[in-house]
């Protein structure tokens, strides 16, 4: 909108070039270009860019806008009209997947704005449930009636067929009623509603040499009409048809019911307005070492951030794209806090009990460094208070519009394991996830138990409703190549990878559907 006008006798002829930043480096690679639209300062581009989206990665994009002045393909030979930098997560996390950014880069000039829209390719996520019965099928068994079952095939591009479903066998009947079954639309027709679906009817034999009764063909579109009426198919046996002049059919199959449900994705909920609320809790126990000493895990050197600050930045900078107010509650635990030196396990890093929120990840880092100067590192290492604190907030809004992510960064052994397990089991029924990053050389066996990937976490006979904890040791991500950016990108990727599934599992168990984004 409102682009710079570079042409003397007409308006600019703009084109947008999209660059994608290579993960963990400062290199940009051209991804694609829009079409050129002649003679306008307010172009609406038609060409779409199809990108793979990963919630757990920072995917930086750069949009360069040029005025096409010559036949040359080189962008450098065209007039530069401005550029915008944005993370893909910011576009998806913005209201209705729509983000407007100012264009910059031409000194002393207002370059206008660029409007970005993101939508998820549905990739045919529907799931179908259907039920069929048959009538007067051919009798194939010598002593009894047939034992019929159905085999579904989807057709491929090259004319071949791939088996995609088998019903159960209904014993000793020529009028079977099969159980309802569920199948993804993808599996049935690969998302092409008019593609042939072939269904074979067999009589089951114990030795595996099942007898062919007959077949019929349909399509997803035809099957879906059964939502309003019964559909009856004739079962035909081609060999019998050729041999017998009076052959009519080998029975009929009736589609009794057909219903479609959509499987929702993480992006559906984010676009529908679900906010991710990010809370940080940092370990201030004495086992970290005196912050003024270079051996301390909290030591801040002029040249490098501490492990705590690195982990906080890596995770926080991705999550903040999905939080509209960018205000993050931040707590410390295990320290003696001024003025009276009492031990606290959930003191606000910004020293404001009424409002513990910090502005952006930079605000959290600032408050963390400030706290290091004012509190006395002590102990013990208690997780339960801060987990219960976030769980209390999460319990206030359970309609799917808010989802909480708690990041705990710690150096070691939990002192209140029983209470922590109890707190996590309780929290597992709430809209929240917990990420634990272990820093330092300690053994973290207890954390692995909390993670619950191998064995579902339990407390006093109660099992966690969902797996909501993800633990990683920081040391696994510090490599000798000293490419810190790449190491932290890998850390963020691993700790955040489970969040979308955890959010979906909460929504599913509560039968919460995404709100429809306004068109």
């Amino acid at each position: 909108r409102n682009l710079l006008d570079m042409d003397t006798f007409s308006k600019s002829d703009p084109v947008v070039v999209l660059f994608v930043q290579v993960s963990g480096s400062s290199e940009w690679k051209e991804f694609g270009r829009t079409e050129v639209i002649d003679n306008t300062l307010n172009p609406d581009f038609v060409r779409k860019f199809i990108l793979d989206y990963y919630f757990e990665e920072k995917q930086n994009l750069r949009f360069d806008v040029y005025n096409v002045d010559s036949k040359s393909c080189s962008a450098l030979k065209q007039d530069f009209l401005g550029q915008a930098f944005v993370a893909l997560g910011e576009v998806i996390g913005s209201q209705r997947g729509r983000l407007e950014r100012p264009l910059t880069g031409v000194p002393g000039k207002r370059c206008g704005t660029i409007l970005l829209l993101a939508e998820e390719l549905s990739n045919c996520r529907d799931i179908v449930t259907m039920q069929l019965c048959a009538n007067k099928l051919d009798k194939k068994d010598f002593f009894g009636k047939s034992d019929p079952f159905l085999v579904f095939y989807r057709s491929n591009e090259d004319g071949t067929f791939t088996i995609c479903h088998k019903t159960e066998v209904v014993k000793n009947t020529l009028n079977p009623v099969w159980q309802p079954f569920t199948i993804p639309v993808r599996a049935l027709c690969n998302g092409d509603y008019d593609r042939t679906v072939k269904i074979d009817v067999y009589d089951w034999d114990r030795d595996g040499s099942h007898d062919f009764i007959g077949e019929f063909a349909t399509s997803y579109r035809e099957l879906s009409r059964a939502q309003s009426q019964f559909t009856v198919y004739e079962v035909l046996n081609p060999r019998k048809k050729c041999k017998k002049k009076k052959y009519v059919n080998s029975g009929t199959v009736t589609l009794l019911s057909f219903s479609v449900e959509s499987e929702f994705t993480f992006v559906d909920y984010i676009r529908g307005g679900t906010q991710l609320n990010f809370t940080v809790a940092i370990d201030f126990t004495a086992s970290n070492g005196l912050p003024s000493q270079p051996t301390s895990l909290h030591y801040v050197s002029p040249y490098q951030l501490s492990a705590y600050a690195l982990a906080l930045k890596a995770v926080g900078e991705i999550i903040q794209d999905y939080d509209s107010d960018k205000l993050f509650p931040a707590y410390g635990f295990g320290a003696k806090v001024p003025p009276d030196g009492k031990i606290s396990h959930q003191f606000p890093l910004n020293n404001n009990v009424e409002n513990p929120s910090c502005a952006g990840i930079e605000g959290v880092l600032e408050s963390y460094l400030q706290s290091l100067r004012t509190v006395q590192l002590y102990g013990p290492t208690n997780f339960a208070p801060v987990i219960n604190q976030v769980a209390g907030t999460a319990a206030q809004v359970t309609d799917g519009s808010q989802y909480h992510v708690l990041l705990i960064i710690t150096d070691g052994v939990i002192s209140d394991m029983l209470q922590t397990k109890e707190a996590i089991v309780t929290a597992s029924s709430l809209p929240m996830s917990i990420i634990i990053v272990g820093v330092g050389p300690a053994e973290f066996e207890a954390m692995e138990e909390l993670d619950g990937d191998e064995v579902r976490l339990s407390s006093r006979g109660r099992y966690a409703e969902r797996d909501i904890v993800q633990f990683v040791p920081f040391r696994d991500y510090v490599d000798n190549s000293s490419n810190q950016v790449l190491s932290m990108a890998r850390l963020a990727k691993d700790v955040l990878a489970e969040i979308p599934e955890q959010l979906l599992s909460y929504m599913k168990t509560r039968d919460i559907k995404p709100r429809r984004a306004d068109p």
Side-chain angles (χ1 to χ4, degrees), residues 162-436:
T162 302
I163 186 167
C164 58
H165 182 73
K166 269 184 195 171
T167 66
E168 78 284 8
V169 176
V170 182
K171 291 286 186 73
N172 199 27
T173 178
L174 302 180
N175 302 300
V177 179
W178 289 282
Q179 292 291 323
F181 67 90
T182 297
I183 183 170
V185 172
R186 256 196 326 272
L188 194 61
C189 65
N190 217 10
D192 177 353
Y193 291 176
D194 297 305
R195 187 176 291 204
T196 302
V197 176
K198 186 165 80 82
I199 299 161
D200 287 354
V201 187
Y202 284 95
D203 164 42
W204 177 84
D205 282 333
R206 180 170 271 108
D207 64 2
S209 61
H210 312 308
D211 300 316
F212 178 68
I213 295 175
E215 65 184 12
F216 62 95
T218 181
S219 66
Y220 173 82
R221 197 178 300 282
E222 202 175 298
L223 288 166
S224 67
R225 292 192 187 120
Q227 291 177 91
S228 53
Q229 66 199 51
F230 284 165
T231 309
V232 181
Y233 296 97
E234 277 194 298
V235 177
L236 300 175
N237 186 324
R239 286 176 70 181
K240 270 191 168 183
K241 200 176 180 181
C242 290
K243 282 182 184 173
K244 295 182 179 179
K245 281 187 176 170
K246 289 186 176 175
Y247 176 80
V248 180
N249 60 39
S250 294
T252 59
V253 168
T254 303
L255 182 56
L256 296 173
S257 65
F258 183 97
S259 60
V260 187
E261 267 189 12
S262 282
E263 260 201 316
F264 298 113
T265 66
F266 174 73
V267 174
D268 289 331
Y269 287 98
I270 296 299
R271 287 199 59 166
T274 297
Q275 289 286 306
L276 295 191
N277 298 305
F278 184 48
T279 303
V280 182
I282 293 178
D283 183 334
F284 280 80
T285 55
S287 52
N288 284 285
L290 276 173
S292 56
Q293 300 297 315
T295 51
S296 169
L297 294 168
H298 282 302
Y299 179 67
V300 182
S301 95
Y303 313 107
Q304 198 177 349
L305 290 169
S306 69
Y308 279 90
L310 281 171
L312 171 61
K313 260 177 89 78
V315 178
E317 283 182 351
I318 290 173
I319 283 198
Q320 69 178 354
D321 290 342
Y322 303 88
D323 188 322
S324 59
D325 65 8
K326 308 275 187 283
L327 295 174
F328 309 119
Y331 299 95
F333 58 89
K336 285 186 171 178
V337 183
D340 49 11
K342 274 190 180 160
I343 297 167
S344 172
H345 294 291
Q346 53 185 98
F347 61 89
L349 295 185
N350 65 2
N351 210 20
N352 183 343
V353 180
E354 296 301 312
N355 181 12
S357 294
C358 306
I361 296 305
E362 291 307 318
V364 177
L365 276 169
E366 214 175 282
S367 298
Y368 155 64
L369 296 173
Q370 182 59 37
S371 288
L372 282 176
R373 292 192 281 271
T374 55
V375 305
Q376 182 192 342
L377 273 56
Y378 207 71
T381 307
N382 290 357
F383 282 9
V386 78
I387 293 173
N388 289 330
Q389 167 90 21
V390 175
T393 309
Q396 290 169 19
V397 183
T398 56
D399 63 359
S401 62
Q402 308 286 329
Y403 193 87
H404 295 261
V405 178
L406 167 62
L407 170 64
I408 299 174
I409 313 176
T410 180
D411 82 322
V413 185
I414 301 183
S415 312
D416 65 340
M417 190 62 175
L418 291 176
Q419 292 90 327
T420 295
K421 282 164 81 169
E422 179 73 12
I424 292 170
V425 169
T426 302
S428 69
S429 64
L430 296 169
M432 70 179 278
S433 292
I434 300 167
I435 295 166
I436 303 172

Side-chain angles (χ1 to χ4, degrees), residues 17-82:
V17 185
L18 168 61
F19 294 86
V20 175
Q21 190 171 29
V22 179
S23 182
S25 84
S26 54
E27 184 191 346
W28 291 91
K29 278 199 169 155
E30 182 177 330
F31 185 86
R33 303 179 180 198
T34 65
E35 70 280 17
V36 178
I37 299 185
D38 292 342
N39 197 26
T40 178
L41 304 181
N42 296 289
D44 283 322
F45 296 102
V46 174
R47 187 167 300 161
K48 293 175 176 161
F49 300 114
I50 297 177
L51 295 154
D52 291 325
Y53 160 67
Y54 303 100
F55 164 75
E56 65 273 16
E57 291 180 21
K58 190 83 172 170
Q59 294 173 269
N60 290 323
L61 310 176
R62 186 181 102 212
F63 296 88
D64 289 4
V65 186
Y66 291 93
N67 170 37
V68 176
D69 230 1
S70 70
K71 293 277 183 282
S72 168
C73 286
S74 168
L76 298 171
K77 298 229 172 102
Q78 317 298 347
D79 296 326
F80 180 63
L81 299 180

